[in-house]
Amino acid sequence: MAAPLESTPARRAPLSRARVLHVAMAYADTHGIDALSMRSLAQELSVVPMALYKHVGGKEDLLDGMIEVVVGEIVHEPATGAWKRDARERILAARSTLQRHQWSRAVLESRPAMTPAMLDYLDALTGLFIDGGLSVDLTHHVMHALGNRMWGFSQELFAATPPSDTASFNAQRDALPRQHPHLAQIARAAAHAGPDGVLVLGCDDAFEFEFALDIVLDGAEKLHALNWTSG
Amino acid sequence: MAAPLESTPARRAPLSRARVLHVAMAYADTHGIDALSMRSLAQELSVVPMALYKHVGGKEDLLDGMIEVVVGEIVHEPATGAWKRDARERILAARSTLQRHQWSRAVLESRPAMTPAMLDYLDALTGLFIDGGLSVDLTHHVMHALGNRMWGFSQELFAATPPSDTASFNAQRDALPRQHPHLAQIARAAAHAGPDGVLVLGCDDAFEFEFALDIVLDGAEKLHALNWTSG
DNA sequence: ACCTGAACACCGTTCAAGT
DNA sequence: ACCTGAACACCGTTCAAGT
């Protein structure tokens, strides 16, 4: 096959921080965050590993940069003044953005310090509560209560892919009613669609997320109405 | 120095799964989970790395085993029948146990499947709600809303040690009121003890944990009283 | 049955060059 | 200014031996 100019051995798009971050994100999207290494990323860019160090400070700075891009992509609708509704929408916007990148939860939680975009988001969310009339004190504790849910993470209890080992999976499922009767009850109730007793696989992530979010926001509203203080 | 019998080169306590797990936990306690490798653990046991593989299946099985030991140490007081109080105490008991091992949060969250002790704890906690009269439906969603807080993890937003780089720390602190006014307000309010504006460092972990836990439990109580269903 | 030694296929990162 | 190549100090794990 005749090679066009672009496929000359030394031919490739020039490196830049933006390009490194972009390709790293795409690589993590398709191959998973565990497969992303300085070496695999370099290969993806047709470059020697050390070439990356002119554009990112190292692996940690690479991860910081990836989070910075993702969090920067969160769109924020203008506030309506109804703090509970505004906060709810802001958090669901974060959720829809971060959900596009499966690795973002693990990476965000691994950051040792906040990046600028994270601080911006946090400050804006905090502002919705304070401007909505909640005391700084209550706002502070509500932010803690939201915890990582402020980023739209549903609390997946386990990193888990369902067990690929079908034999042990079946054994565990059959043992469940005897060993863990209460979990079995929930499993039965949650298995609306699939075959019987599919553990927690039948759960609707979006529903669980909004259920928990609303409990926290409703709790905040109640405490606000009571003029609650921590003192 | 005269060597006693016990310090003969080949002399050492015999390996066993229990001893491997115990030493691994102690090592992670003092050196941090990142420093725990099959190789460093082997060295701690005065043994060649491959010797470990007769007692644990590999690194993942080692981590599973460590979690199994920690979760197994959670003491559960007998239930009094007051579900809200019982669940609160069970979760605070989990918290006090898991807090003794700083690494337990990261390791537990990294497990791809539940270990038997985790299932036991989960089933017992679930049972408190169901036996307390909550519907299976509500119990299911409340367990999701509790999320990893059921293990007593306070939502530390960042793995972070405070920035060791004092210069950049000061710069960030001074820039805070201008760039992130709402966060600055919270930082001011939370800096009860230390010098002015110490970011979120002044927060009382135990207080924040119980604040969030009570919001979820109170929310559950309210929904229960309303005969709430997800359908 | 239990432990060893050498090797394999990976990491992130340094250093000293190349162009 | 930007990229390369070789090397260093690590990983987890395999395989084939040793005792």
Side-chain angles (χ1 to χ4, degrees):
Chain A
M1 320 174 179
L5 262 174
E6 280 74 11
S7 65
T8 303
R11 252 287 148 274
R12 63 181 108 82
L15 243 44
S16 69
R17 183 175 173 91
R19 197 164 113 76
V20 168
L21 294 181
H22 191 264
V23 171
M25 291 172 65
Y27 191 86
D29 283 346
T30 66
H31 298 91
I33 192 68
D34 287 343
L36 178 71
S37 67
M38 296 301 278
R39 295 171 116 101
S40 64
L41 177 55
Q43 189 176 340
E44 192 77 3
L45 287 157
S46 304
V47 114
V48 95
M50 281 314 297
L52 301 175
Y53 285 78
K54 288 285 152 181
H55 302 98
V56 293
K59 182 86 185 272
E60 291 298 296
D61 184 49
L62 173 69
L63 296 175
D64 273 344
M66 292 166 72
I67 281 299
E68 198 64 1
V69 172
V70 178
V71 173
E73 279 174 0
I74 300 172
V75 296
H76 48 296
E77 306 274 327
T80 67
W83 68 266
K84 203 170 90 166
R85 205 184 112 199
D86 286 346
R88 193 178 197 279
E89 283 182 358
R90 182 89 44 139
I91 290 171
L92 290 177
R95 175 174 166 82
S96 80
T97 298
L98 298 218
Q99 280 221 133
R100 291 203 296 268
H101 305 287
Q102 293 288 78
W103 44 269
S104 60
R105 176 188 187 137
V107 174
L108 189 144
E109 287 180 342
S110 76
R111 293 309 80 211
M114 299 216 204
T115 65
M118 289 173 72
L119 284 169
D120 289 347
Y121 172 80
L122 230 66
D123 192 72
L125 182 60
T126 305
L128 293 179
F129 294 117
I130 294 179
D131 294 346
L134 270 65
S135 72
V136 171
D137 183 33
L138 178 56
T139 298
H140 173 196
H141 301 297
V142 168
M143 290 294 286
H144 273 283
L146 282 170
N148 277 348
R149 213 155 342 225
M150 70 175 64
W151 302 106
F153 298 142
S154 25
Q155 281 294 14
E156 37 158 332
L157 286 181
F158 299 95
T161 49
S164 50
D165 178 356
T166 317
S168 79
F169 173 73
N170 287 342
Q172 187 172 318
R173 186 196 56 190
D174 295 345
L176 197 58
R178 261 173 294 120
Q179 304 259 333
H180 303 108
H182 303 107
L183 295 180
Q185 278 185 270
I186 286 181
R188 253 192 310 276
H192 28 62
D196 67 323
V198 200
L199 259 175
V200 203
L201 286 163
C203 302
D204 178 345
D205 263 11
F207 180 88
E208 305 302 349
F209 180 79
E210 295 185 31
F211 178 83
L213 177 58
D214 287 337
I215 282 185
V216 175
L217 294 179
D218 288 346
E221 184 176 48
K222 188 184 129 205
L223 293 173
H224 176 46
L226 294 171
N227 283 316
W228 178 94
T229 67
S230 66
Chain B
M1 319 175 180
L5 262 174
E6 279 75 10
S7 65
T8 302
R11 248 291 145 273
R12 63 181 109 82
L15 244 44
S16 70
R17 183 175 172 93
R19 198 165 111 75
V20 168
L21 294 181
H22 192 263
V23 171
M25 290 172 66
Y27 191 87
D29 283 346
T30 67
H31 298 90
I33 193 69
D34 287 344
L36 177 72
S37 67
M38 296 301 277
R39 295 171 116 103
S40 63
L41 177 56
Q43 189 177 339
E44 192 77 3
L45 287 159
S46 304
V47 113
V48 95
M50 281 314 297
L52 301 175
Y53 285 77
K54 287 285 152 181
H55 302 97
V56 293
K59 181 87 185 273
E60 292 297 297
D61 184 49
L62 172 69
L63 296 175
D64 274 344
M66 292 167 70
I67 280 300
E68 198 64 1
V69 172
V70 177
V71 173
E73 280 174 1
I74 300 172
V75 295
H76 49 294
E77 306 275 327
T80 68
W83 67 267
K84 203 169 90 165
R85 207 184 111 199
D86 286 346
R88 193 178 197 279
E89 283 182 358
R90 182 89 43 137
I91 290 170
L92 290 176
R95 175 175 167 81
S96 80
T97 298
L98 299 217
Q99 281 222 132
R100 292 203 298 268
H101 305 286
Q102 293 288 78
W103 43 268
S104 59
R105 178 191 184 131
V107 174
L108 188 144
E109 288 181 341
S110 76
R111 293 308 81 210
M114 300 216 204
T115 66
M118 289 172 71
L119 284 170
D120 288 347
Y121 172 81
L122 230 67
D123 192 70
L125 182 59
T126 305
L128 293 179
F129 294 117
I130 294 179
D131 294 346
L134 270 65
S135 71
V136 171
D137 182 34
L138 178 57
T139 298
H140 172 197
H141 300 297
V142 168
M143 291 293 287
H144 273 283
L146 282 170
N148 276 348
R149 213 152 348 222
M150 69 175 65
W151 302 106
F153 298 142
S154 27
Q155 280 295 12
E156 37 158 333
L157 286 181
F158 300 95
T161 49
S164 51
D165 179 357
T166 317
S168 80
F169 173 72
N170 288 342
Q172 186 172 318
R173 185 196 57 191
D174 296 345
L176 196 59
R178 259 174 297 121
Q179 305 258 332
H180 303 107
H182 303 107
L183 296 180
Q185 278 185 270
I186 286 180
R188 255 193 308 276
H192 29 62
D196 68 323
V198 201
L199 260 174
V200 203
L201 287 162
C203 302
D204 178 345
D205 262 12
F207 180 87
E208 305 303 348
F209 181 79
E210 295 185 31
F211 177 83
L213 176 58
D214 287 338
I215 282 185
V216 175
L217 293 179
D218 288 346
E221 185 177 46
K222 189 183 128 205
L223 293 173
H224 176 47
L226 294 171
N227 283 316
W228 179 94
T229 67
S230 67

